[in-house]
Amino acid sequence: MNFDFSPDEQAFVAEVRAFLDEVAGWPDAADIMCPERESDSILADTPARKAFCRALAQRGYLGMSWPVEYGGQGKPGIYEYLLNEELSRVGAPLIGKGVGCVGQTLIRHGSEKLKREFLPKILTAEIEFALGYTEPHAGSDLAALKLRAERDGAGWRLNGQKMFTTSAHFADWYWLA
């Protein structure tokens, strides 16, 4: 078995590294690329880091593995893996929960209305999501979650609790389980 990356994959890594070298010259590069932030480095929690995510979008780096009919490029997921590895190497924001958990779920299970509303905004890095999974007494065991959505007139009432929500302090939308 050959574990080497293909020539196309190697060229993509070189392209991403060249882009990150450009970003290193930006005036706010120290805010964007923060290897010392460890796990927080994945977040787009400042204006500079949000602008960086929009630059990723402009380069076509968001949603590369999404089907073409939803604005993606239909590339194998290895390209998103390689991109995230390079972003992690310099402590830059990763491609995000919108592209992965939220976008992929909407593509497979969302209504056409939700797809039209959210997928284009995810691909342009207009919106950021927080994932609401963790609950008291359940942790992130999705089978043990207690929060329920109950019909309340024309809308829904959420009944339960969430905690330890990454990105909640700056996200535009809260994706609940």
Side-chain angles (χ1 to χ4, degrees):
M1 180 172 273
N2 181 357
F3 290 104
D4 292 334
F5 295 122
S6 72
D8 285 345
E9 293 160 353
Q10 291 174 21
F12 177 72
V13 169
E15 174 189 322
V16 171
R17 287 183 178 175
F19 168 66
L20 293 172
D21 287 345
E22 284 176 36
V23 173
W26 292 3
D28 46 11
D31 182 33
I32 296 166
M33 299 193 296
C34 311
E36 70 281 357
R37 286 181 67 182
E38 297 178 18
S39 65
D40 284 344
S41 70
I42 65 171
L43 304 177
D45 57 350
T46 67
R49 293 168 75 77
K50 287 181 183 200
F52 173 79
C53 290
R54 288 190 298 277
L56 290 176
Q58 290 169 352
R59 289 193 170 250
Y61 290 158
L62 301 185
M64 291 183 290
S65 70
W66 287 13
V68 173
E69 61 265 30
Y70 295 112
Q73 300 172 35
K75 287 186 172 187
I78 187 70
Y79 286 91
E80 288 169 344
Y81 168 80
L82 293 170
L83 175 61
N84 272 336
E85 285 295 303
E86 290 305 312
L87 297 173
S88 293
R89 185 177 58 80
V90 298
L94 304 185
I95 61 173
K97 297 169 283 301
V99 172
C101 297
V102 177
Q104 295 286 3
T105 301
L106 287 174
I107 288 168
R108 284 167 183 74
H109 305 287
S111 69
E112 289 306 312
K113 178 182 186 266
L114 290 175
K115 290 174 187 177
R116 279 191 310 274
E117 182 174 350
F118 288 103
L119 295 179
K121 292 176 184 175
I122 292 169
L123 288 178
T124 57
E126 273 182 67
I127 54 176
E128 183 70 35
F129 289 88
L131 297 181
Y133 293 166
T134 307
E135 293 183 1
H137 309 294
S140 293
D141 175 0
L142 297 181
L145 299 180
K146 303 280 187 229
L147 182 129
R148 297 289 179 257
E150 301 164 348
R151 240 335 156 184
D152 185 4
W156 294 86
R157 179 180 303 273
L158 298 177
N159 185 357
Q161 295 178 312
K162 295 292 180 184
M163 58 190 264
F164 307 130
T165 304
T166 303
S167 306
H169 60 295
F170 65 89
D172 303 297
W173 290 91
Y174 198 7
W175 183 260
L176 292 174

